[in-house]
Amino acid sequence: MKKIMAYMLTPVLAFGVLSACGPQDSSGSSSNTGKAEKKPDKLVVWEDTDKGVGLEPAAKSFEKKYGIKIQFKEMPMLDQQDKLRLDGPTHKGADVITTPHDRIGPLATEGLIEPLNISSDITSQYTDSSISALTFKGKLYGLPKSTETPVFIYNKKFMKEAPATLDDLYKFSKGDKGGAQYGFLANWTDFYFAHGILSGYGGYVFKDNNGTLDTKDLGLTNKGSLEGADYISKWYKEGLFPKGIIGKKAGQTIDGLFNEKKVASVMNGPWSFQGYKDAGIDIGVAPMPKLPNGEYVKTFIGVKGWNVSAYSEHKKWAQKFVEWITNEENAKIRYEKTQEIPPIKALMKDPIIADNEAAKAVAVQSERGIPMPNVPEMAEVWVPVGNALQLTATGKQDSKRALEDASKTIEQNIKAKHTGK
């Protein structure tokens, strides 16, 4: 089971090799140089594990049109980054890789991936949030292949339809719960899931200044973040969430209870759909209900993209393949084979997604959400904020003190580990 949440929780790898030490443009091979590039016999592409079935049709049609062999290999996305560090300098690595967008900043900083020169005619096909997710310091480093975000999932045995608001869900959870033991569960001591609540109240991680994140401006202690943390604590303090869904094993506990048909609804991502179905649950899927303040839950969006290796000797053609695999026709084929939702505006209105309850819910919620910050400094956020949320949920600290302490830790770690990078 692959999900961007797992990737973004992985600590950022060491940045001993910065962009200044990365590969340099050579003999005009880059698509950004404007110089001619010899047509290669083949391009090497690394795809995510078990996803080659979605890549193969586009690879074959590209080969037919351009006469360039596409040699692709499956491997976990984070493994691709490690392998590129080793194989890239000797030109044995891939021309094209795939990665979750929150790795864009670290990879670009390290000099492993190439900024792309893509026309607005092409980028305008995709949702604004997906393009923003793959942009770092004003430069586009990939094109999106899929998007995912947490949504509202319910057992139709206990709940006929999704509630419109979290207030409605709160009342349901305080009542008979349709016969379930719990009305709703969410892993809100994990910042990946809790962010949607804090952000919906007006909190933020790093200030967004017209597409550029100011890592010196943290919004985790503003009024909105505190309100969001207090709202989360309410569910724990009133016993609507069991004590066992705090900490590292919370997600497993939630899945277990839902699969045992003890829970009417949960907040989870599309990676969980099949497991719930395999447990014999008739699930319904919808965007997250609105917050008590009338705003949408602004969940973190994860975008997987295709990226060109900075070590590639065929950057122009590698970019052309990235454009090819992510165009509307090939993205639709890939969705049919992998069920990963492409953030292409036209496809989100296509019946193939619009008439699919689960896919539509993810698409709609993705439009309401916010891309996870893709800057290297984001690695310093997850643990301190998660600890703060656990302290407030258990009543050991109030939200103000817990988030202030977390913010101080984040600021100190950013200063120590990222100054000058």
Side-chain angles (χ1 to χ4, degrees), residues 42-64:
K42 71 174 182 179
L43 291 172
V44 178
V45 180
W46 291 343
E47 169 62 299
D48 194 11
T49 305
D50 299 328
K51 295 296 187 295
V53 64
L55 172 63
E56 190 171 8
K60 288 182 178 178
S61 60
F62 186 85
E63 290 172 356
K64 183 177 181 180

Side-chain angles (χ1 to χ4, degrees), residues 5-210:
M5 185 183 79
Y7 300 124
M8 62 85 182
L9 288 173
T10 302
V12 173
L13 299 172
F15 294 103
V17 183
L18 298 180
S19 56
C21 304
Q24 304 299 311
D25 290 336
S26 59
S27 66
S29 64
S30 172
S31 59
N32 296 327
T33 65
K35 297 181 182 180
E37 179 185 288
K38 184 180 178 181
K39 186 177 178 180
D41 294 325
K42 71 174 182 179
L43 291 172
V44 178
V45 180
W46 291 343
E47 169 62 299
D48 194 11
T49 305
D50 299 328
K51 295 296 187 295
V53 64
L55 172 63
E56 190 171 8
K60 288 182 178 178
S61 60
F62 186 85
E63 290 172 356
K64 183 177 181 180
K65 182 174 179 65
Y66 294 107
I68 299 174
K69 175 70 176 178
I70 299 298
Q71 178 181 316
F72 71 88
K73 180 180 180 179
E74 293 183 352
M75 70 177 74
M77 288 196 282
L78 290 184
D79 288 358
Q80 293 182 30
Q81 299 163 31
D82 294 338
K83 191 170 178 59
L84 188 60
R85 287 186 184 91
L86 298 175
D87 293 351
T90 60
H91 301 291
K92 295 180 181 178
D95 297 288
V96 175
I97 68 168
T98 183
T99 191
H101 86 267
D102 64 301
R103 299 295 304 162
I104 293 296
L107 291 174
T109 300
E110 195 172 345
L112 292 177
I113 55 176
E114 183 79 1
L116 305 183
N117 184 15
I118 306 285
S119 72
S120 59
D121 289 343
I122 293 176
T123 57
S124 62
Q125 299 177 80
Y126 310 98
T127 61
D128 292 342
S129 61
S130 66
I131 292 297
S132 175
L134 295 168
T135 300
F136 178 68
K137 292 186 176 180
K139 295 181 179 180
L140 182 65
Y141 281 89
L143 288 179
K145 69 172 183 177
S146 66
T147 185
E148 62 186 27
T149 195
V151 289
F152 185 78
I153 307 168
Y154 60 100
N155 186 331
K156 292 182 178 180
K157 175 182 177 181
F158 303 123
M159 190 177 285
K160 293 182 180 180
E161 61 182 3
T165 70
L166 283 173
D167 274 340
D168 293 335
L169 186 59
Y170 171 80
K171 293 174 183 176
F172 174 84
S173 298
K174 296 281 283 187
D176 65 13
K177 297 172 279 293
Q181 185 176 350
Y182 298 100
F184 171 67
L185 295 180
N187 190 4
W188 281 343
T189 58
D190 182 332
F191 187 48
Y192 175 74
F193 293 98
H195 168 269
I197 306 301
L198 273 62
S199 184
Y201 275 102
Y204 59 89
V205 183
F206 303 121
K207 186 70 173 180
D208 188 340
N209 294 325
N210 298 318

Side-chain angles (χ1 to χ4, degrees), residues 264-287:
S265 61
V266 296
M267 177 186 187
N268 213 337
W271 51 84
S272 68
F273 294 166
Q274 191 58 52
Y276 293 157
K277 292 176 181 177
D278 291 344
I281 301 171
D282 183 13
I283 62 169
V285 186

